[in-house]
Amino acid sequence: MFSFNVVMAWNVFKFCTLLRGLGSVMILLVLSVVGFTYYAVVVTNYWPAVLAGGANSYSSVGILILFHILLVMLLWSYFSAVLTDPGSVPLNWRADVDEESGDPHVLTGLELSTPMLNLQHTASLVGSGIQKIRYCKKCNHLKPPRCHHCSACGRCILKMDHHCVWVVNCVGALNYKFFLLFLFYTFLETSLVTIILLSNFIAFFNEGEIPASPESLATTFLTFVLNLAFALSVLGLLVMHLSLVAANITTIEAYEMKTTPKWRYDLGRRKNFEQVFGMDKRYWLIPAYTEEDLKRLQTLHGLD
């Protein structure tokens, strides 16, 4: 049993090291898929149709405009999720209320004056009636509510949802909205590509003469299959995460089965949604927050 635990710990450590090592490789992979799709849709199919003129050129222009709008929003959301810090625990942070009961607790400035709390002192605080005062042994500080330590990032993340290899970053309090918008625009873009290339995909199996070069046809065929696969997989992720947002539950909390008949963070679907996307409707589909939202919604910072 002991050896099994040692092997499991070693495997987890190696896996987290692998996640850190992926780094820019995953970003290059995403950009490669985007570039390949762009070549198949714009260069191979629809830009030549625009240059050829005729009735089809107008519909081709409309498709290209929609394609580029979704592409810009996809990349904007993606790099916002990649480059935004998901949320770190402030230096010398202390809780104002008991995480479990919501009552003010009795921690004093003296108790938190030392930069590193030992486990015995933390245990004595818990034993004195203070519930759910969580402590990170790796970062050597107290953990705010819903905060978790990420082994891949090597630090605690506020309202951590999961570590995503695709964005090479943790998904937490400050970039969860950007991650969801990345999924949303990825689904729209891949669905659009699948629909507009469907006729070309069907033509691949026709026995008649195909008005395209073998290279162009192969590129279009592969792009269709790739985008269809992404559309279906991303749709499942998007539905799952929207259901979590509606209940104000993170992926980690859902995995650990911490939900109860009355989940303490569930404020109703509208307020749960606003805790992630903000209160200004004009910004719901944009990977950004208004200054008013950042000041008004402390939950966006993951500390409330």
Side-chain angles (χ1 to χ4, degrees):
M1 183 66 178
F2 175 77
S3 62
F4 175 75
N5 290 335
V6 171
V7 171
M8 285 298 294
W10 183 86
N11 288 340
V12 171
F13 175 77
K14 295 294 288 184
F15 178 70
C16 294
T17 303
L18 176 62
L19 290 181
R20 288 195 294 267
L22 286 175
S24 58
V25 174
M26 297 305 297
I27 297 178
L28 291 176
L29 179 59
V30 171
L31 294 179
S32 297
V33 173
V34 171
F36 186 78
T37 300
Y38 189 91
Y39 176 80
V41 172
V42 179
V43 178
T44 303
N45 288 283
Y46 282 90
W47 184 243
V50 172
L51 296 179
N56 291 334
S57 63
Y58 295 103
S59 61
S60 297
V61 169
I63 289 173
L64 287 178
I65 291 175
L66 180 59
F67 175 84
H68 282 88
I69 291 175
L70 292 178
L71 180 61
V72 168
M73 296 306 298
L74 186 159
L75 292 176
W76 185 8
S77 301
Y78 176 70
F79 282 106
S80 294
V82 170
L83 300 176
T84 301
D85 190 310
S88 301
V89 180
L91 187 64
N92 296 327
W93 175 87
R94 56 163 295 174
D96 294 325
V97 296
D98 178 1
E99 180 180 346
E100 181 71 21
S101 66
D103 298 327
H105 60 61
V106 297
L107 286 182
T108 64
L110 178 62
E111 290 167 338
L112 293 175
S113 59
T114 56
M116 296 178 63
L117 293 176
N118 58 57
L119 295 180
Q120 290 78 12
H121 181 58
T122 303
S124 67
L125 293 177
V126 176
S128 65
I130 301 173
Q131 304 176 26
K132 295 295 184 182
I133 302 299
R134 301 185 303 139
Y135 181 83
C136 180
K137 295 181 290 184
K138 296 181 180 179
C139 296
N140 295 313
H141 59 58
L142 297 177
K143 296 167 68 174
R146 314 182 79 178
C147 175
H148 294 272
H149 184 88
C150 176
S151 298
C153 294
R155 61 191 176 100
C156 287
I157 304 298
L158 297 178
K159 198 181 177 184
M160 179 178 172
D161 188 86
H162 68 287
H163 186 92
C164 180
V165 296
W166 290 102
V167 301
V168 199
N169 196 4
C170 262
V171 177
L174 300 182
N175 67 345
Y176 189 32
K177 172 186 176 181
F178 308 151
F179 172 76
L180 293 178
L181 289 178
F182 167 58
L183 293 181
F184 176 67
Y185 287 116
T186 298
F187 172 70
L188 293 183
E189 182 78 324
T190 52
S191 297
L192 174 65
V193 173
T194 301
I195 292 172
I196 63 179
L197 295 184
L198 179 59
S199 59
N200 302 72
F201 177 77
I202 296 175
F204 184 84
F205 298 96
N206 291 339
E207 296 181 356
E209 183 178 352
I210 302 175
S213 65
E215 294 80 7
S216 174
L217 196 59
T219 300
T220 302
F221 177 85
L222 183 58
T223 302
F224 174 86
V225 173
L226 191 64
N227 279 267
L228 177 61
F230 272 111
L232 295 176
S233 59
V234 169
L235 176 60
L237 276 176
L238 187 59
V239 170
M240 182 196 76
H241 277 285
L242 289 179
S243 65
L244 293 177
V245 170
N248 205 346
I249 302 174
T250 65
T251 300
I252 292 178
E253 290 164 347
Y255 176 77
E256 293 178 346
M257 301 181 67
K258 289 185 177 180
T259 57
T260 61
K262 178 57 180 177
W263 179 235
R264 72 174 67 96
Y265 298 112
D266 187 1
L267 304 176
R269 292 186 178 182
R270 176 62 181 259
K271 289 186 178 180
N272 292 342
F273 182 86
E274 290 177 345
Q275 283 197 0
V276 176
F277 287 86
M279 300 179 68
D280 194 330
K281 296 179 181 179
R282 298 171 299 175
Y283 280 73
W284 281 357
L285 297 179
I286 299 175
Y289 289 111
T290 64
E291 290 294 330
E292 291 76 12
D293 267 343
L294 290 175
K295 294 176 182 178
R296 184 166 47 194
L297 295 177
Q298 291 299 315
T299 50
L300 296 179
H301 296 281
L303 292 172
D304 187 358

